[in-house]
Amino acid sequence: MTASIDRIVELLGSDADNLLGYQSKTIAKERLSLPGPDFVERVFMNSDRSPRVLRNLQALYEGGRLSGTGYLSILPVDQGIEHSAGASFAPNPDYFDPANIVELAIEGGCNAVASTFGVLGMVARRYAHRIPFVVKLNHNELLSYPNGYDQIMFGTVEQAYEMGAVAVGATIYFGSPESTRQIVDVSRAFARAHELGMATILWCYTRNNAFKTGGNDYHTAADLTGQANHLGVTLHADIIKQKMPETNGGFKAVKHDDGSRFGRTHQKVYDELSSEHPIDLTRYQVANCYMGRAGLINSGGASGDNDLADAVRTAVINKRAGGTGLILGRKAFQRPRNEGIALLNAVQDVYLCDDVTIA
């Protein structure tokens, strides 16, 4: 199936030429492990992943409208815990009901649905055979006072296995005071998931108030998020979820309290391996995912006034950078179902369009 380029160009508007015509001069596309129908066999067959993990990875890549392309469209709905149920579902109260979450993913043509133990467990017998489940193992909850920002386990890998999940997901707040404990928690959980034959997806987010400095927010800097990705694949994440990069130079801007430098970097990261163009910034994220051997899926971000155009733009950047797809939630479920389905399909159309190529 080949989607039309005309609608994509229309939605990109004035950005169309800059995004669709751009040719990257940083990391050549030939150096990347790019998505394709044979991705699992080509990339993971020589890894230490068991046949059961390969089977479940393949199930992810064979779901929904993007089946057989090597790309992923995943609906994530863990915001009821991460951002509170009221803040997340008040715009569309239907999604307090777990069945509606899973049905949106199915009707929207997604490869998989990612959600909480509670959501997926409540409807597992009805839907686990109809769409791949990704159980999110840990969460940050916002009811403790004062509000904190930590990821804690809400269940066990065995629970996810018993409900028929093909994969588990987890978040680490890299850079936070709690990150070292989170790394240990997630590494143990991912090792157990692989033992049981499930694939692993890591939300590789950065979080520390010190990453906001000089009037800039470097939480989405390509160099910091790229290193978070590299830590994620080191923890045996098969797929990396990351926010779209919006800037660069976090390692150069962030300083310790005494003025000494933070972390380590190299000038070639900025002069040769990336540029200011969003496709190059995202390609640096892909490079840190073992040059694409672990697929990079970018998040869709918060809902706003131009969700359709913003989501298509993100998909174009991700695909042209060498990424593996989008994991888009609030933009889809915080609106009537037919509009959410249309938005998900518009994003998938980018990956189905032969005219949107790797830069």
Side-chain angles (χ1 to χ4, degrees):
M1 178 179 179
T2 301
S4 170
I5 188 67
D6 296 335
R7 179 61 172 157
I8 297 170
V9 170
E10 177 186 351
L11 289 168
L12 290 176
S14 59
D15 274 347
D17 288 341
N18 182 45
L19 294 180
L20 294 173
Y22 183 73
Q23 293 302 315
S24 177
K25 294 181 173 61
T26 56
I27 298 170
K29 61 185 179 182
E30 290 80 12
R31 302 173 75 175
L32 303 175
S33 293
L34 296 173
D38 63 340
F39 183 78
V40 172
E41 181 174 338
R42 171 165 41 93
V43 172
F44 282 100
M45 182 168 287
N46 293 323
S47 74
D48 63 355
R49 275 59 164 182
S50 70
R52 289 177 298 167
V53 173
L54 299 183
R55 179 189 64 200
N56 281 325
L57 267 175
Q58 191 67 37
L60 281 175
Y61 282 101
E62 289 182 351
R65 294 180 71 227
L66 298 185
S67 175
T69 65
Y71 291 104
L72 295 171
S73 169
I74 298 175
L75 177 72
V77 189
D78 60 344
Q79 286 87 349
I81 299 175
E82 295 285 339
H83 302 284
S84 91
S88 301
F89 302 135
N92 190 344
D94 285 344
Y95 292 105
F96 278 106
D97 186 339
N100 287 326
I101 291 172
V102 181
E103 287 174 5
L104 174 61
I106 293 172
E107 294 178 25
C110 293
N111 297 70
V113 57
S115 196
T116 66
F117 281 102
V119 165
L120 297 178
M122 184 59 69
V123 295
R125 291 184 183 274
R126 183 176 179 183
Y127 293 112
H129 62 289
R130 295 182 57 192
I131 185 170
F133 279 10
V134 180
V135 178
K136 185 69 165 29
L137 299 174
N138 64 358
H139 305 280
N140 174 54
E141 56 85 18
L142 289 178
L143 193 57
S144 298
Y145 184 86
N147 285 162
Y149 296 94
D150 190 9
Q151 290 284 329
I152 57 174
M153 290 292 175
F154 269 61
T156 67
V157 175
E158 287 77 11
Q159 284 176 271
Y161 174 78
E162 290 297 333
M163 76 169 67
V166 305
V168 297
T171 297
I172 292 177
Y173 287 150
F174 290 107
S176 72
E178 300 81 16
S179 64
T180 51
R181 193 212 76 246
Q182 293 168 13
I183 288 170
V184 173
D185 288 347
V186 171
S187 66
R188 289 172 175 166
F190 278 12
R192 181 58 176 150
H194 277 161
E195 286 178 0
L196 293 173
M198 291 181 288
T200 55
I201 304 176
L202 188 61
W203 280 236
C204 290
Y205 289 167
T206 63
R207 185 179 288 277
N208 194 304
N209 287 333
F211 294 171
K212 296 179 180 180
T213 183
N216 296 309
D217 188 347
Y218 292 98
H219 282 96
T220 55
D223 54 351
L224 295 186
T225 56
Q227 181 60 22
N229 291 357
H230 198 75
L231 293 171
V233 291
T234 303
L235 293 173
H236 264 52
D238 302 315
I239 297 167
I240 295 293
K241 178 189 177 187
Q242 185 55 267
K243 295 179 181 179
M244 182 67 63
E246 298 177 359
T247 186
N248 208 356
F251 277 119
K252 300 168 76 172
V254 177
K255 305 289 184 183
H256 291 293
D257 290 340
D258 62 3
S260 60
R261 70 178 183 178
F262 164 74
R264 294 288 187 275
T265 188
H266 195 287
Q267 190 58 37
K268 284 188 175 183
V269 170
Y270 314 99
D271 295 343
E272 298 181 15
L273 302 184
S274 64
S275 76
E276 295 182 356
H277 198 282
I279 291 174
D280 288 337
L281 294 175
T282 307
R283 179 157 295 182
Y284 186 69
Q285 290 184 339
V286 173
N288 277 277
C289 297
Y290 293 153
M291 285 293 194
R293 289 179 181 267
L296 171 69
I297 52 177
N298 286 118
S299 55
S303 183
D305 295 332
N306 301 295
D307 284 346
L308 182 59
D310 290 345
V312 167
R313 180 181 185 274
T314 302
V316 168
I317 293 170
N318 172 273
K319 183 179 183 183
R320 299 214 69 218
T324 297
L326 253 58
I327 180 164
L328 184 148
R330 280 169 288 177
K331 282 180 166 56
F333 70 74
Q334 288 185 336
R335 60 184 66 248
R337 184 182 294 189
N338 62 332
E339 294 181 17
I341 291 170
L343 192 147
L344 290 167
N345 289 169
V347 165
Q348 293 154 8
D349 285 345
V350 171
Y351 296 97
L352 293 169
C353 182
D354 292 340
D355 293 313
V356 180
T357 58
I358 307 299

